[in-house]
Amino acid sequence: MSDQIKAVAIRICDLREISGMSQQEVAEKSGVPLEEYQAYEEGAKDFSFSHLFNIATTLGVDISDLLTGESPKLKGYILTRAGKGLAFERRKAYQYQHLAYNFRNKKAEPFIVTVDYAPDETRVAHSHEGQEFDYVLDGHMKIVLDGNEVFLGPGDSLYYDSSIPHAMYALEKDAHFIAVVIK
């Protein structure tokens, strides 16, 4: 596994131990199967964004704490220039760029997400606490929400309960969209 995955795994383990919770407790509260959670802590498995988001919430930290090892410091406002958000990949088919990673006490997590075009790939649906707003910037995509298919093009948006299992597919070429996860 990559050095970034190993560093996140160490942070999760350390924060869990500091909190006094067992692996079982964090796994249950985060909605992650225990074996999968243990693989995350060992750095043996890459994280899905939804699981990482849920683990951060369970541990009472910002997702930026897990990704960077630093707590957000800014308040009032944060300016993120084009292409300068915190980039990370959580799964092979999705690339994220966090647009407000260093703003503290966020009520929402804004991202630009790239969904790779992979016509023959079946994706595992994920869920996380809160609600989500997705706005397509470029390309066309299909979002599967608990088995229902929703098709979106540039300028289309979708707002939904993100505890509903969901997966995104790019159609024809890679798709780019703004995702705002509301806690």
Side-chain angles (χ1 to χ4, degrees), residues 149-169:
E149 295 181 347
V150 179
F151 294 88
L152 303 169
D156 292 341
S157 65
L158 181 66
Y159 191 100
Y160 55 97
D161 177 342
S162 51
S163 69
I164 297 171
H166 52 282
M168 285 80 170
Y169 296 85

Side-chain angles (χ1 to χ4, degrees), residues 4 64 67-68 80 84-88 96-99 101 111:
Q4 183 186 20
S64 297
L67 292 172
T68 67
T80 304
K84 300 296 183 185
L86 176 65
F88 63 100
Y96 297 87
Q97 192 175 84
H98 198 304
L99 301 176
Y101 69 94
F111 301 92

Side-chain angles (χ1 to χ4, degrees), residues 137-150:
L137 298 168
D138 177 37
H140 290 82
M141 53 191 273
K142 172 177 73 173
I143 299 179
V144 179
L145 287 162
D146 203 20
N148 297 306
E149 295 181 347
V150 179

Side-chain angles (χ1 to χ4, degrees), residues 79-180:
L79 171 64
T80 304
R81 297 285 183 196
K84 300 296 183 185
L86 176 65
F88 63 100
E89 291 185 34
R90 291 284 38 103
R91 282 174 282 172
K92 183 176 76 170
Y94 306 97
Q95 293 86 46
Y96 297 87
Q97 192 175 84
H98 198 304
L99 301 176
Y101 69 94
N102 207 17
F103 191 87
R104 79 179 156 181
N105 300 323
K106 289 182 294 299
K107 294 184 178 153
E109 302 283 348
F111 301 92
I112 291 183
V113 182
T114 300
V115 181
D116 292 342
Y117 175 62
D120 300 324
E121 186 176 346
T122 300
R123 302 209 169 124
V124 175
H126 294 278
S127 62
H128 48 88
E129 290 184 20
Q131 299 171 344
E132 186 166 332
F133 172 75
D134 297 334
Y135 179 89
V136 179
L137 298 168
D138 177 37
H140 290 82
M141 53 191 273
K142 172 177 73 173
I143 299 179
V144 179
L145 287 162
D146 203 20
N148 297 306
E149 295 181 347
V150 179
F151 294 88
L152 303 169
D156 292 341
S157 65
L158 181 66
Y159 191 100
Y160 55 97
D161 177 342
S162 51
S163 69
I164 297 171
H166 52 282
M168 285 80 170
Y169 296 85
L171 305 173
E172 302 166 8
K173 65 176 187 168
D174 291 356
H176 302 87
F177 67 99
I178 295 172
V180 180

Side-chain angles (χ1 to χ4, degrees), residues 25-86:
E25 288 175 295
V26 174
E28 285 177 10
K29 290 180 180 182
S30 302
V32 179
L34 178 59
E35 298 77 26
E36 191 168 342
Y37 177 81
Q38 289 169 331
Y40 289 158
E41 267 200 22
E42 293 166 7
K45 181 175 170 86
D46 196 0
F47 308 91
S48 76
F49 170 76
S50 56
H51 286 169
L52 193 61
F53 183 81
N54 291 344
I55 291 167
T57 300
T58 297
L59 294 172
V61 298
D62 190 282
I63 195 168
S64 297
D65 290 303
L66 297 181
L67 292 172
T68 67
E70 295 184 20
S71 294
K73 296 172 180 58
L74 300 175
K75 62 181 183 176
Y77 70 92
I78 180 172
L79 171 64
T80 304
R81 297 285 183 196
K84 300 296 183 185
L86 176 65

